Amino acid sequence: MIPPQEASARRREIEDKLKQEEETLSFIRDSLEKSDQLTKNMVSILSSFESRLMKLENSIIPVHKQTENLQRLQENVEKTLSCLDHVISYYHVASDTEKIVREGPTGRLEEYLGSMAKIQKAVEYFQDNSPDSPELNKVKLLFERGKESLESEFRSLMTRHSKVVSPVLILDLISGEDDLEVQEEVPLEHLPESVLQDVIRISRWLVEYGRNQDFMNVYYQIRSSQLDRSIKGLKEHFRKSSSSSGVPYSPAIPNKRKDTPTKKPVKRPGTIRKAQNLLKQYSQHGLDGKKGGSNLIPLEGNHPRDFRVKHLPEALNDKHGPLAGRDDMLDVETDAYIHCVSAFVKLAQSEYQLLSDVIPEHHQKKTFDSLIQDALDGLMLEGENIVAAARKAIIRHDFSAVLTVFPILRHLKQTKPDFDQVLQGTAASTKNKLPGLITSMETVGAKALEDFADNIKNDPDKEYNMPKDGTVHELTSNAILFLQQLLDFQETAGAMLASQETSSSATSYNSEFSKRLLSTYICKVLGNLQLNLLSKSKVYEDPALSAIFLHNNYNYILKALEKSELIQLVAVTQKTAERSYREHIEQQIQTYQRSWLKVTDYITEKNLPVFQPGVKLRDKERQMIKERFKGFNDGLEELCKTQKAWAIPDTEQRDKIRQAQKNIVKETYGAFLHRYGSVPFTKNTEKYIKYRVEQVGDMIDRLFDTSA
């Protein structure tokens, strides 16, 4: 049971807490009432604000819409006024631009094109909006007149400023290809820069707005004429220079001419000195540079092919004969053509660069094809004329003239990659012109080579044409000189021969195959020549002179082979050629030496009387000794007189043959003289012992020397 005191205290405590809770509850009620009142007041305020906003919105929105409509109306009015101004301006275009169009674009292209742009827009406007208006016809007529003026200005600019490229500049342009040193490229300005820019602007306008392609025809006709005239001018330059000085003027060689650049001399690509022209030099100089000399050494320091040849036809010896100057002219024509081919490539490349700036891209190839036709056809026609002339020369057996084909053909082949690049994109007929010419030249060249070999084999034995002194025959010199000309054109000549081959090996043509063909051909010519020389040698009645003739010719051939690359070419298919010629030469020397047997036989040991010293000779023995001395003297004098007029041009061979013969005769005569010189076989000793041993040697030393 809880004590009464604790229960009373507990009750008081509970009452106190209850009282506090009631006070708190009363405070919460008062707060809620105030909050409700505030909420009501806020709701009332917000409701009032909302009402006012709705009233404001209802009054502002109509005003905003009205303002917006007014702004739109203002913009429409402004646009309408602008359109009216723009439209009205089209009606004034004709009057505003008529004077400018009438006066033309010369000197004011920018302003003129601006006026044409206005006219173009006016035409477009009237076509779209008023196709039946008279204003359309007026601006159309003005536009056409303006377009014609631009076309006329294009033609005028191209005509007035397109100049022929001078030969001096062309030769400098070509010479840059051969210079080993890096040089600045020769500038080639076809049109002044300002004019070029005007031409480009006019062409672009005519394509874009004028819808006109006639100006492209104008362009290629004018530029084609300039290209053709430039190349013809270069050719004429060579002819004039040759006729005035005898040597084509090389504008890259410094001299007193004002228009001469100071560059290295132009290298002539492939020019040759043909056989007949060389032969004319040989007929005027000895092998040692003296007239009548006889020494197998080069006539000009570094040219191992220049040997003296005697007994040439009169036409070749005569400085004023029918062939005088002809070969020089052939050289000039060859040089001119080769330079014109190179000039065409360079100028055509330059023309394409110019054309690519002026002509629209999709018209460039066709226009370029038309542009180069005249110049290209001229070159091809001249090339065909060269081929035709070569064919006629073959018929006349004038093979030296055919040699002009070789440098030209070589140059055409060397230039073909550049040709192909330049002609890329042109018609097939244009691309095939150069290959066709090359084929023609290869065919005629192969024909010339074959006919030359046959001509060497079948050259008739004309007695009047044989050298009286047994020196080198004209046929030999011509054959060797012709073959030596081929050294500079080995690949070209090999290709000519290969072009006529039908075997499977020809289809896999290469340089080695070409070399073998050329070697075989040279061996064939040399073989034919040897057979012909053997036949010709029979014309001589004296076997010794026949031997000297063959010796001289074989020695000439061997020396010519050795002093040039011919021996290497021959060795490709004939390894023993050099040894064979040496054997032939030695054989002819031995044949010649037998001619002295009729002299030495008189004084040899056989059939001579044997006697004892101090024993008197019988009349028969004395007579025999007299006959031997007389036979030797007469034979020696006869041979020396005869063989003195013979010739051995090679100093080394001449000395060798003289020395060998001198040793044999002196030894035999010395022994004979020693044995019978003191024998009393006659009272008139001087009549029979006419020569001392040294005198016999001196007489033999004067053999083969007409000047002695």
Side-chain angles (χ1 to χ4, degrees):
M1 230 175 119
I2 300 172
Q5 292 178 351
E6 290 182 6
S8 176
R10 181 89 178 251
R11 188 176 57 192
R12 284 194 300 272
E13 182 180 351
I14 292 170
E15 289 175 354
D16 290 340
K17 287 184 178 181
L18 181 60
K19 185 177 181 180
Q20 289 177 359
E21 291 294 332
E22 289 175 351
E23 289 176 355
T24 300
L25 181 60
S26 177
F27 176 77
I28 291 172
R29 286 193 184 101
D30 292 340
S31 296
L32 286 174
E33 290 176 357
K34 289 180 180 180
S35 176
D36 289 341
Q37 186 63 40
L38 289 173
T39 299
K40 290 179 180 178
N41 292 339
M42 181 58 70
V43 170
S44 177
I45 292 170
L46 289 174
S47 298
S48 175
F49 184 71
E50 181 182 7
S51 175
R52 290 180 180 182
L53 282 176
M54 289 181 66
K55 290 180 181 180
L56 180 61
E57 183 179 355
N58 291 335
S59 62
I60 288 299
I61 286 176
V63 173
H64 175 71
K65 289 182 178 179
Q66 185 177 7
T67 302
E68 195 176 57
N69 291 334
L70 289 174
Q71 288 176 343
R72 189 178 295 110
L73 288 174
Q74 184 179 3
E75 289 176 0
N76 289 338
V77 170
E78 289 176 353
K79 288 181 179 179
T80 302
L81 290 174
S82 176
C83 288
L84 286 174
D85 290 339
H86 183 67
V87 170
I88 292 172
S89 68
Y90 289 133
Y91 286 86
H92 296 288
V93 166
S95 59
D96 291 342
T97 59
E98 185 175 7
K99 180 180 178 181
I100 296 174
V101 172
R102 185 174 63 251
E103 292 176 353
T106 304
R108 52 174 182 177
L109 182 62
E110 191 71 29
E111 180 184 4
Y112 192 89
L113 291 178
S115 298
M116 290 300 295
K118 293 179 181 179
I119 297 172
Q120 173 73 13
K121 290 179 181 179
V123 170
E124 293 172 354
Y125 171 79
F126 288 121
Q127 284 178 337
D128 293 339
N129 298 282
S130 185
D132 298 328
S133 66
E135 285 77 9
L136 176 59
N137 294 331
K138 187 182 295 184
V139 292
K140 267 188 173 182
L141 182 62
L142 194 60
F143 181 81
E144 292 299 322
R145 188 186 305 168
K147 185 170 71 172
E148 291 174 1
S149 295
L150 284 172
E151 293 171 358
S152 177
E153 178 69 5
F154 182 89
R155 179 187 294 273
S156 176
L157 289 173
M158 291 297 302
T159 303
R160 284 188 288 115
H161 296 282
S162 290
K163 304 297 182 184
V164 174
V165 183
S166 70
V168 172
L169 186 55
I170 293 176
L171 287 172
D172 278 347
L173 193 67
I174 297 172
S175 67
E177 296 178 338
D178 299 324
D179 290 340
L180 297 177
E181 299 177 3
V182 178
Q183 296 184 352
E184 293 183 4
E185 187 175 350
V186 178
L188 190 59
E189 185 180 67
H190 293 292
L191 296 173
E193 184 61 28
S194 59
V195 174
L196 176 60
Q197 294 305 318
D198 287 349
V199 167
I200 292 173
R201 293 201 63 187
I202 293 174
S203 70
R204 289 177 179 174
W205 189 93
L206 290 173
V207 171
E208 186 174 356
Y209 301 108
R211 306 292 190 271
N212 189 329
Q213 298 180 6
D214 292 341
F215 78 94
M216 299 181 195
N217 296 332
V218 172
Y219 178 87
Y220 92 71
Q221 289 169 2
I222 294 174
R223 294 308 309 169
S224 175
S225 174
Q226 300 303 324
L227 175 61
D228 192 40
R229 288 170 60 193
S230 297
I231 294 176
K232 288 179 178 177
L234 177 63
K235 183 177 181 181
E236 189 63 24
H237 169 80
F238 271 85
R239 289 177 175 173
K240 287 182 178 179
S241 299
S242 174
S243 61
S244 62
S245 62
V247 179
Y249 164 63
S250 179
I253 300 177
N255 59 17
K256 295 181 180 180
R257 288 174 59 99
K258 294 181 180 179
D259 57 347
T260 303
T262 55
K263 280 200 170 189
K264 294 182 179 179
V266 173
K267 296 180 182 178
R268 297 185 189 177
T271 54
I272 60 172
R273 181 62 54 189
K274 291 166 287 301
Q276 288 183 343
N277 202 22
L278 285 171
L279 292 177
K280 286 189 285 186
Q281 297 178 18
Y282 306 149
S283 67
Q284 298 166 14
H285 302 278
L287 293 175
D288 54 0
K290 298 179 181 179
K291 204 164 186 178
S294 56
N295 187 11
L296 262 178
I297 61 174
L299 179 63
E300 298 175 2
N302 295 323
H303 202 308
R305 309 176 201 169
D306 298 339
F307 301 106
R308 172 175 171 259
V309 181
K310 299 171 68 177
H311 302 286
L312 300 179
E314 290 300 322
L316 293 180
N317 284 312
D318 184 5
K319 293 182 180 179
H320 305 287
L323 294 179
R326 189 196 72 164
D327 295 312
D328 288 334
M329 287 307 299
L330 286 175
D331 270 348
V332 171
E333 292 295 329
T334 302
D335 273 357
Y337 186 73
I338 287 173
H339 278 87
C340 287
V341 170
S342 295
F344 173 82
V345 173
K346 283 293 184 181
L347 293 177
Q349 289 173 342
S350 181
E351 286 291 345
Y352 192 82
Q353 291 175 357
L354 178 66
L355 177 142
S356 61
D357 291 331
V358 178
I359 305 300
E361 183 176 359
H362 54 286
H363 292 287
Q364 289 174 4
K365 296 295 184 182
K366 182 179 179 181
T367 305
F368 180 70
D369 197 343
S370 301
L371 189 154
I372 62 173
Q373 284 303 315
D374 287 347
L376 182 59
D377 287 344
L379 283 177
M380 296 302 107
L381 177 60
E382 189 171 351
E384 291 297 340
N385 289 339
I386 292 171
V387 172
R391 290 195 181 102
K392 293 179 181 178
I394 294 173
I395 296 174
R396 299 192 309 269
H397 299 297
D398 182 7
F399 298 102
S400 63
V402 181
L403 289 172
T404 58
V405 172
F406 284 74
I408 293 173
L409 177 58
R410 180 175 68 179
H411 188 68
L412 289 179
K413 285 190 168 185
Q414 290 173 346
T415 314
K416 187 176 182 298
D418 294 330
F419 250 96
D420 293 341
Q421 184 178 5
V422 169
L423 301 182
Q424 187 177 6
T426 58
S429 58
T430 303
K431 294 178 182 177
N432 293 333
K433 288 180 179 179
L434 180 64
L437 178 59
I438 289 176
T439 300
S440 296
M441 287 193 171
E442 283 187 334
T443 302
V444 76
K447 174 67 174 172
L449 293 175
E450 189 63 32
D451 282 17
F452 178 78
D454 293 341
N455 189 63
I456 293 297
K457 181 179 180 180
N458 302 319
D459 184 68
D461 300 325
K462 296 179 180 178
E463 185 174 352
Y464 67 85
N465 198 33
M466 293 294 290
K468 304 300 181 184
D469 57 1
T471 190
V472 178
H473 195 277
E474 179 191 357
L475 180 68
T476 303
S477 60
N478 283 342
I480 294 300
L481 289 170
F482 184 87
L483 294 179
Q484 286 172 340
Q485 304 307 311
L486 300 183
L487 286 177
D488 294 330
F489 309 99
Q490 295 183 33
E491 291 188 8
T492 304
M496 286 178 176
L497 296 170
S499 68
Q500 305 305 304
E501 291 288 324
T502 56
S503 62
S504 58
S505 58
T507 58
S508 58
Y509 166 73
N510 53 44
S511 59
E512 187 62 30
F513 178 69
S514 166
K515 197 171 185 178
R516 292 191 64 82
L517 281 178
L518 187 57
S519 175
T520 302
Y521 172 77
I522 292 174
C523 291
K524 177 182 178 181
V525 172
L526 293 175
N528 290 349
L529 177 61
Q530 185 173 342
L531 291 174
N532 201 316
L533 289 173
L534 284 170
S535 176
K536 290 183 185 300
S537 68
K538 297 176 183 179
V539 172
Y540 296 109
E541 295 180 359
D542 191 335
L545 181 55
S546 177
I548 290 297
F549 170 77
L550 289 176
H551 165 273
N552 284 333
N553 282 272
Y554 291 156
N555 185 63
Y556 177 89
I557 294 170
L558 178 60
K559 288 295 178 70
L561 293 177
E562 289 178 335
K563 293 185 178 181
S564 68
E565 295 178 12
L566 281 174
I567 192 65
Q568 285 86 357
L569 270 177
V570 170
V572 171
T573 55
Q574 185 58 264
K575 304 292 185 183
T576 62
E578 185 175 358
R579 184 181 66 189
S580 177
Y581 273 110
R582 294 192 186 282
E583 291 174 353
H584 288 320
I585 292 170
E586 190 59 36
Q587 181 182 353
Q588 298 310 317
I589 292 175
Q590 294 174 5
T591 302
Y592 161 75
Q593 288 176 341
R594 284 196 289 270
S595 69
W596 282 84
L597 290 177
K598 62 183 179 181
V599 176
T600 56
D601 276 351
Y602 283 105
I603 56 176
T604 54
E605 291 286 341
K606 64 180 181 179
N607 300 325
L608 287 176
V610 180
F611 59 89
Q612 296 297 327
V615 178
K616 185 177 180 181
L617 295 175
R618 289 175 295 180
D619 291 342
K620 183 179 180 181
E621 292 174 337
R622 286 196 298 270
Q623 185 61 31
M624 182 179 293
I625 295 173
K626 289 179 182 179
E627 290 176 356
R628 296 305 171 96
F629 269 107
K630 186 177 185 303
F632 172 79
N633 293 336
D634 292 345
L636 176 66
E637 291 169 356
E638 180 185 352
L639 280 184
C640 286
K641 180 180 178 181
T642 301
Q643 296 183 9
K644 177 183 176 182
W646 298 353
I648 299 180
D650 187 337
T651 301
E652 181 182 348
Q653 286 291 314
R654 183 170 66 242
D655 292 343
K656 174 184 175 182
I657 292 173
R658 282 174 176 171
Q659 189 62 42
Q661 199 59 54
K662 186 168 62 173
N663 291 340
I664 295 172
V665 176
K666 284 178 66 177
E667 181 181 353
T668 307
Y669 181 63
F672 179 77
L673 194 60
H674 177 73
R675 184 166 185 176
Y676 295 101
S678 59
V679 174
F681 66 91
T682 181
K683 294 180 181 180
N684 191 5
T685 307
E686 294 180 355
K687 178 180 178 182
Y688 296 98
I689 306 177
K690 297 173 63 174
Y691 304 104
R692 299 188 307 275
V693 174
E694 291 74 13
Q695 287 179 305
V696 172
D698 291 341
M699 293 173 69
I700 295 176
D701 279 336
R702 290 193 290 271
L703 297 179
F704 317 117
D705 189 356
T706 57
S707 63

